[in-house]
Structure formats: structure tokens, C-alpha cells
């Protein structure tokens, strides 16, 4: 029933967002709120829209209001490309897009530069797109999959007493058999070779609702750690199947898309003690309180279930909303306050972001995500993560400071991969003005 209410509410808001005025800033949201990944999509895009409504309630960005349109992709790559093509020219032209899907992002990565519409990939997508000289219109903001994988190995190394202690260990990589699941492999392969641990790769066919054979393999392998690189229903199935097979949840470390309430609550007692990566620090923030008071109290909240406000996916969507608005604000500083920014101008704003601690405090989000400072060379802007643990009722950060893995390695891989892509596509790497 909650899903139906959410869809109805989203449709109403989509209609409202389509009424665009000349001075508005139009953005495209190829979202998904149904299917096996609907919980993630509804929470994430719900958080973005809640933040846009808050910005509008506070007068917009120097008077410019945020407007948007959603298009249901069902997390399907071809449908996502169709949604992008449908929305990109609407209302004077979309000026930002984020499909929250590695498959869809790969499908439009070559199009956005031609269309001059910047695409963000918050914590997902092509890791080598952090090289702005090759991917001027693509921004894998905060932390890429490669830097997350490197941070995972650093955290596991620290747990074992340092990198040399990983030698001879067995680490299973249980992954969603998709572009998303395969993205971390270059880093994990390189670090397995560097530190001498055995990397055992086990694929799970999407959506991942059956994993008994995979966990039998894991039980037979007797690994020291399992990295769960899952998404959607795959995660709770993995946690519960691990328990049935007697594998300790404390030895499982999830990707940040396997670290939400929607993953742990359905898993019940099996999830208590389970850990995952995150680029948001769980907790209460003035910004979330302001959304409750100004957006939900006025009946403009996007989530039908208000118990999800401040949850992992919701907070993640709010985070991207903040970064988008700050990019537009930064662009206005250069190209004209109170003016609607073009996609090209927003691209410049994204490449010159500096959401430092002072700016986070001003927004009411101090410590909610790492500070972000981008440049032409670094469209990611951070690379930092935390590790969180489910205590049976809520997520708790167990690394007090942000964790950063081997960035020298990830930068080397990034340069090699992005330059190979540039050669293949006949791109001359250069910074844009």
C-alpha cells in the first residue's frame, strides 16, 4: 500500500514539476520507484525532490526555482536511455541528470557531452570518469567504486593488523552480475596481486532472490571475509542466506548500495552486526529537521512513508540535491546571480565545487558527507568513505574518521582507463574553460 501511495504522490509531484517558468532551473530525473530496486530509487529521488522543495520554499537559488520531471526507468538500461532522450529537450532543455544506475549511465555517457547536459553519478558508474579532461560532462561525485573498493581493502587490512597481514587470506567478492557488479574488479584484482590475498569471485544473477548455491560455494571456500557488492533484494537475501549457512555476519562487508534500512530491516535478526560502507554519516542533522518542518509540514514531502525521512537512501538523495544546488549556485557566481544556468554553465559549476566544512555548517549538513572539492583533474572531489554497522535498529558509524584507500593505485588505473577510452573515441584530453 505504501508503494502505491508513493507512486501516486510522485505522479502528482511530477505534474507539478512539469509546470516550468522561464526563470526556472529544469533538471531531468530518470528515476525508478517500482520493481526490485524501487526502494532505493524512491528513497533517493524522494530525498532529492524534498531538498529541491526546501530550496524553493526558501526562495530558490538567488530567486531561481528548481523544477524537474521524472520518468520511470525501472532500473532498465534501454528504458533509461529512452527517458533521457525524452526529457533532455523539454522546458528549454535539461541542465542536469543522474540516473542512479551504472547501466543507464554507460548508455548515455557519450550523449551528455554532445548534448551539453552534465551527468552526475553519486557513488556509482564509471570510475575513470573522474578524469575531467576526458569526461568533461560526467561527475562521479564524492567517491567512485574504485576508491570504495580500495577503502574496503584498507579497512579489512586494518582489521587484520595492516596490509602485510592480508597475505594468504581469502576474500570472496559476491557481486551483482551486471556492469555495477563488475566495476570494482580492476582495483580488487590489483590489490589481491599486490598484497597476496586470494580473491574468489562469485556472481549472483539479478535480481538475486536465490543464492543458495553461491553460499554453498562460500561455505566450502571458508573465506576470511566476504565483500557483498549487491543491490536491491539481493542484499537481504544474502544476509539471511549467510545466516542459514552459518557464516558470521561480522565477516561480511557490504558495498554502500548494500547498506540501507531496506537491506537490514527485512533481514531481521540476521542483520545485527552486519557492516557496510557509506559516504553519509548516519545521524540527525538540522537540514533533515528543516525538511520535516518546511516541506512535510506543508504537505509537499515526496515520501508517502515519513518514517523513511533521514534514512540512508533519503539522506543520499538529499546529499545529491545539495551538490546540484551548490553547483548551480557556484555557476551563478560566475555567470550571473539570479539567472537560469545552461547545461554548459552548470558543468562549470560542478567542476569548481567547494562544499567545505563551513558551507556544510551553513546548510545544516556538517559531517553528513565528506567535504567535496572538484577540479578538471578530479570530477570526484573526495574519495572518502566511512564504515557503518547495523545494531539491530539503526546504522551506527564505526570509523570515527573518513577512510581513504590507495588513491595512488586508483589514480593510476583511472589514467590508464580514461586515456584508453579517449584514444578509442578520438578525444583529445583537455580541460574546458
Amino acid at each position: 500500500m505504501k508503494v502505491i501511495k508513493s507512486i501516486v504522490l510522485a505522479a502528482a509531484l511530477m505534474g507539478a514539476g512539469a509546470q516550468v517558468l522561464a526563470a526556472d532551473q529544469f533538471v531531468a530525473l530518470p528515476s525508478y520507484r517500482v520493481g526490485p530496486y524501487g526502494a532505493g530509487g524512491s528513497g533517493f529521488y524522494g530525498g532529492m525532490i524534498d531538498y529541491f522543495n526546501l530550496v524553493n520554499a526558501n526562495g530558490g537559488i538567488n530567486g531561481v526555482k528548481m523544477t524537474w520531471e521524472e520518468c520511470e526507468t525501472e532500473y532498465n538500461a534501454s528504458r533509461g536511455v529512452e527517458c533521457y532522450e525524452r526529457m533532455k529537450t523539454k522546458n528549454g532543455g535539461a541542465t542536469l541528470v543522474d540516473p542512479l544506475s551504472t547501466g543507464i549511465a554507460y548508455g548515455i555517457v557519450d550523449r551528455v557531452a554532445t548534448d551539453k547536459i552534465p551527468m552526475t553519478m553519486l557513488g556509482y558508474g564509471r570510475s575513470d570518469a573522474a578524469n575531467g579532461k576526458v569526461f568533461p560532462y560526467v561527475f562521479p561525485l564524492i567517491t567512485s567504486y574504485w576508491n570504495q573498493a580500495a577503502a574496503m581493502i584498507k579497512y579489512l587490512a586494518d582489521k587484520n593488523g595492516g596490509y602485510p597481514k592480508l597475505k594468504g587470506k581469502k576474500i570472496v567478492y559476491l557481486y551483482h552480475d551486471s556492469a555495477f557488479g563488475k566495476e570494482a574488479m580492476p582495483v580488487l584484482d590489483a590489490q589481491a596481486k599486490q598484497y597476496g590475498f586470494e580473491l574468489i569471485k562469485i556472481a549472483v544473477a539479478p535480481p538475486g532472490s536465490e543464492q543458495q548455491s553461491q553460499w554453498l560455494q562460500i561455505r566450502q571456500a571458508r573465506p576470511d571475509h566476504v565483500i557483498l557488492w549487491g543491490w536491491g533484494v539481493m542484499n537481504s537475501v544474502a544476509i539471511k542466506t549467510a545466516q542459514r549457512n552459518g557464516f558470521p555476519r561480522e565477516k561480511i562487508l557490504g558495498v554502500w548500495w548494500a547498506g540501507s534500512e531496506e537491506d537490514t530491516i527485512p533481514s531481521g535478526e540476521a542483520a545485527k552486526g552486519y557492516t557496510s560502507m557509506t559516504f553519509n554519516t548516519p545521524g540527525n542533522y538540522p537540514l533533515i529537521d528543516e525538511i520535516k518542518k518546511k516541506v512535510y509540514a506543508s504537505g509537499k514531502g515526496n515520501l508517502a512513508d515519513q518514517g523513511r525521512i533521514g534514512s540512508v537512501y533519503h539522506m543520499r538523495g538529499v546529499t545529491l540535491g545539495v551538490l546540484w544546488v551548490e553547483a548551480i549556485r557556484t555557476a551563478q557566481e560566475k555567470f550571473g546571480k539570479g539567472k537560469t544556468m545552461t547545461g554548459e554553465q552548470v558543468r562549470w559549476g560542478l567542476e569548481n565545487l567547494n562544499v567545505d566544512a563551513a558551507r556544510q555548517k551553513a546548510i545544516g549538513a556538517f559531517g553528513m558527507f565528506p567535504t567535496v572539492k572538484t577540479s578538471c583533474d578530479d570530477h570526484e572531489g573526495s574519495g572518502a568513505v566511512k564504515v557503518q554497522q547495523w545494531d539491530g535498529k539503526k546504522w551506527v558509524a564505526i570509523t570515527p574518521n573518513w577512510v581513504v584507500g590507495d588513491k595512488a593505485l586508483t589514480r593510476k588505473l583511472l589514467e590508464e582507463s580514461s586515456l584508453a577510452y579517449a584514444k578509442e573515441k578520438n578525444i583529445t584530453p583537455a580541460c574546458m574553460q
Side-chain angles (χ1 to χ4, degrees), residues 143-428:
T143 308
S144 68
Y145 283 144
W146 287 358
N147 276 328
Q148 178 182 202
M152 283 175 144
I153 298 303
K154 183 181 190 309
Y155 174 71
L156 294 178
D158 289 345
K159 282 189 71 174
N160 284 278
Y163 282 116
K165 299 292 184 180
L166 289 177
K167 189 172 183 179
K169 300 286 186 185
K170 289 183 181 180
I171 299 177
V172 163
Y173 180 60
L174 185 70
Y175 67 97
H176 191 275
D177 196 5
S178 65
F180 150 65
K182 296 169 185 174
E183 185 69 21
M185 289 182 184
V187 171
L188 296 175
D189 286 337
Q191 295 210 300
K193 184 177 180 181
Q194 183 176 0
Y195 297 117
F197 62 84
E198 182 182 355
L199 183 66
I200 304 168
K201 300 171 186 173
I202 301 177
V204 176
S209 50
E210 173 51 53
Q211 297 176 39
Q212 188 58 35
S213 64
Q214 286 89 347
W215 282 95
L216 282 174
Q217 289 180 63
I218 291 170
R219 189 168 68 180
Q220 291 166 359
R222 299 172 63 88
D224 298 280
H225 303 284
V226 169
I227 291 175
L228 171 60
W229 203 276
W231 179 223
V233 69
M234 173 181 164
N235 300 325
S236 59
V237 171
I239 294 166
K240 289 185 285 188
T241 310
Q243 183 191 47
R244 285 200 301 272
N245 283 274
F247 191 83
R249 69 210 76 177
E250 293 83 6
K251 289 187 175 184
I252 306 173
L253 178 62
V255 65
W256 49 53
W257 302 119
S260 72
E261 292 82 357
E262 286 77 11
D263 302 312
T264 50
I265 291 174
S267 304
E269 191 63 25
K272 190 174 181 180
Y274 164 70
T275 54
S276 84
M277 311 304 286
T278 184
F279 53 82
N280 288 111
T281 308
N284 299 313
Y285 297 90
L287 175 55
I288 302 298
D289 290 337
E290 190 180 7
I291 287 172
K292 290 177 183 177
K293 290 173 184 175
K294 291 187 178 179
V295 178
Y296 282 86
S298 63
K300 292 184 178 179
N302 193 262
L303 297 180
D305 179 3
Q306 295 191 26
R308 298 181 72 195
I309 301 170
S311 65
V312 168
Y313 285 137
H314 182 258
M315 190 185 296
R316 214 162 275 176
V318 171
T319 297
L320 184 56
V322 168
L323 296 177
W324 276 21
V325 168
E326 291 306 300
I328 295 164
R329 193 186 309 280
T330 300
Q332 285 190 12
E333 291 291 332
K334 179 177 175 66
F335 300 106
K337 283 188 178 181
K339 293 182 179 180
T340 302
M341 296 292 101
T342 66
E344 293 170 274
Q345 291 168 336
V346 174
R347 189 215 70 82
W348 186 92
L350 282 166
E351 192 168 271
N352 291 274
L353 266 180
N354 185 16
V355 186
D356 58 12
R359 186 60 191 152
Q360 285 186 343
K361 286 177 182 176
I363 297 166
F366 178 66
M368 193 168 92
F369 54 92
T371 57
V372 177
K373 185 176 175 59
T374 56
S375 67
C376 172
D377 284 323
D378 182 12
H379 276 197
E380 188 177 353
S382 172
V385 296
K386 284 192 177 183
V387 181
Q388 61 181 4
Q389 186 170 50
W390 183 251
D391 69 2
K393 294 182 179 178
K394 65 183 183 303
W395 288 104
V396 178
I398 58 173
T399 51
N401 301 315
W402 295 100
V403 179
V404 178
D406 186 348
K407 290 193 79 173
L409 168 65
T410 57
R411 187 70 203 187
K412 177 176 177 291
L413 293 172
L414 181 158
E415 292 283 349
E416 292 171 352
S417 179
S418 61
L419 292 178
Y421 176 89
K423 185 177 180 180
E424 176 192 343
K425 300 291 183 178
N426 293 316
I427 297 169
T428 301

